[in-house]
Amino acid sequence: MRVVSAAEIDRTLTFPALIDALSEAFRGDLVTPVRHHHEIERPGAHGTLLLMPAWTGPATQDGFVGVKIVSVFPENGAKNLPSVMGSYLLMDGVTGAPVAVLDGTRLTAWRTAAASALAARHLAREDASRMVMVGAGALAPFLIRAHMSQRPIREVALWNHTPLRAESLAAELAREGLPVTAVTDLEAAVRGADLVSCATLSTAPIVKGAWLKDGAHLDLVGAFNLKMREADDEALRRAQVYVDTEAAKSEGGDVAVALHRGAITDDHVRGTLTDLCRSPPPGPGGRHRLQIGGHRAGRPSCGDGGVALPSENVVEYLPWITWLRSAGSPRPKPSTLP
């Protein structure tokens, strides 16, 4: 069995190639059961254990089975550890034999950003040039790079609840040549943005629908349970909403909460990321549409636009199979099995 490190993932994956692979995955023959979601009771903030299985369908020759195991401990930042950690186990679809274990934390960062950018490919305005990144955690650099691979982003305003963290990350990315500047006035930044991406563990809305201009695209990544929110009800009411899978309407996050509260109705959700990939809308976000898109909970777009919120498992799948094959990872032979 091959062990794939974070460094190897970073050396191999690129945007937009991964985004193209995810688009293929959403159009492919995949089975993606509802993920398992378990709360881990601990003093202070509780932890979460997520189990996300998926496998290729019967029409796929030489298929695979995979599962990602993820832990979420919100207070890890104080210990200089990532809030989200995990591993991805890839197995042979014929025998069930383990093929590879991939660094799940790094894989999640790449996949999450790629799924966000895939939604923006279909929903955001073609001329989107001003981006706001809400949150300066581990996902922020990936989201910025992924969205910049899909739209002509010339300015990125980075906001974090801890301004020093935003300043540090903005300086780091600026040294790499990315047009990132730390800001403290989130409302002003959002009001001028064409694309807003949120990757936080917030339990209260950060972005208000009244701030979003017509034609903006809102990408909601962080919320994954019914106690978490990144945008208020008004943002979802104004938006054309797309989710990654139907499960996003009940598992948690902004769309599920808004549905539960009655702020929006089920028919307000226009479709899934699979729908977007298989039957793209007539054109990307127009000047008078608000688009919302997201990852764990869904992805929304605002102002008559769209919101899209995706879940975790389906978007893990085909890219890693394709990559492992191209990298020469051998398929185990039946004679080698115990």
Side-chain angles (χ1 to χ4, degrees):
M1 182 175 68
R2 182 174 177 186
V3 177
V4 182
S5 67
E8 190 171 1
I9 290 173
D10 286 347
R11 287 195 301 269
T12 305
L13 299 181
T14 61
F15 300 125
L18 180 57
I19 300 165
D20 295 335
L22 286 183
S23 181
E24 177 188 348
F26 276 109
R27 296 193 303 270
D29 179 27
L30 296 176
V31 179
T32 58
V34 175
R35 69 182 181 184
H36 297 249
H37 185 139
H38 303 280
E39 186 167 308
I40 303 171
E41 189 171 351
R42 290 290 183 267
H46 292 182
T48 302
L49 178 67
L50 303 172
L51 307 175
M52 290 159 275
W55 53 86
T56 46
T60 303
Q61 186 176 6
D62 296 333
F64 284 84
V65 176
V67 61
K68 191 170 77 166
I69 304 170
V70 173
S71 63
V72 183
F73 283 79
E75 295 183 346
N76 275 1
K79 303 172 185 175
N80 201 29
L81 292 171
S83 299
V84 181
M85 293 188 280
S87 299
Y88 189 84
L89 174 63
L90 187 66
M91 295 165 279
D92 185 278
V94 177
T95 66
V99 174
V101 174
L102 294 86
D103 184 291
T105 304
R106 205 59 162 186
L107 180 150
T108 295
W110 278 95
R111 182 270 302 139
T112 299
S116 290
L118 178 58
R121 172 186 288 183
H122 294 291
L123 296 174
R125 285 173 46 171
E126 293 279 5
D127 61 351
S129 62
R130 302 179 70 182
M131 176 179 176
V132 170
M133 182 69 237
V134 181
L139 281 174
F142 291 89
L143 287 161
I144 291 169
R145 292 187 181 98
H147 283 297
M148 289 185 67
S149 78
Q150 298 300 301
R151 291 295 184 264
I153 304 296
R154 296 193 300 268
E155 303 174 26
V156 180
L158 175 62
W159 180 91
N160 194 62
H161 70 282
T162 305
L164 286 177
R165 173 58 187 159
E167 292 170 8
S168 175
L169 180 58
E172 177 184 332
L173 295 176
R175 285 193 294 270
E176 298 177 15
L178 299 178
V180 182
T181 304
V183 299
T184 57
D185 189 340
L186 180 60
E187 178 180 350
V190 169
R191 285 186 180 276
D194 304 309
L195 191 157
V196 179
S197 182
C198 300
T200 73
L201 295 176
S202 177
T203 57
I206 302 172
V207 174
K208 300 185 184 302
W211 299 351
L212 293 156
K213 68 180 183 181
D214 288 349
H217 177 75
L218 176 60
D219 174 39
L220 300 176
V221 175
F224 61 86
N225 64 41
L226 293 171
K227 298 176 183 177
M228 303 174 75
R229 291 295 299 266
E230 293 186 306
D232 66 5
D233 290 342
E234 180 62 17
L236 285 109
R237 278 193 291 262
R238 292 184 58 204
Q240 295 179 355
V241 178
Y242 288 84
V243 295
D244 63 338
T245 71
E246 289 293 322
K249 296 193 288 187
S250 58
E251 285 185 347
D254 295 83
V255 170
V257 173
L259 286 167
H260 182 73
R261 290 161 53 95
I264 59 173
T265 58
D266 190 74
D267 59 5
H268 190 71
V269 179
R270 300 200 170 197
T272 65
L273 198 47
T274 297
D275 297 328
L276 285 174
C277 292
R278 294 181 176 177
S279 301
R287 293 186 179 277
H288 303 294
R289 291 191 293 168
L290 175 60
Q291 310 293 340
I292 299 184
H295 196 72
R296 292 197 180 102
R299 301 190 187 285
S301 289
C302 302
D304 243 306
V307 176
L309 302 172
S311 65
E312 306 270 344
N313 47 2
V314 64
V315 290
E316 305 290 356
Y317 210 73
L318 282 184
W320 317 119
I321 295 171
T322 303
W323 172 40
L324 287 166
R325 283 175 173 166
S326 66
S329 180
R331 177 180 289 274
K333 297 178 181 179
S335 60
T336 67
L337 300 177

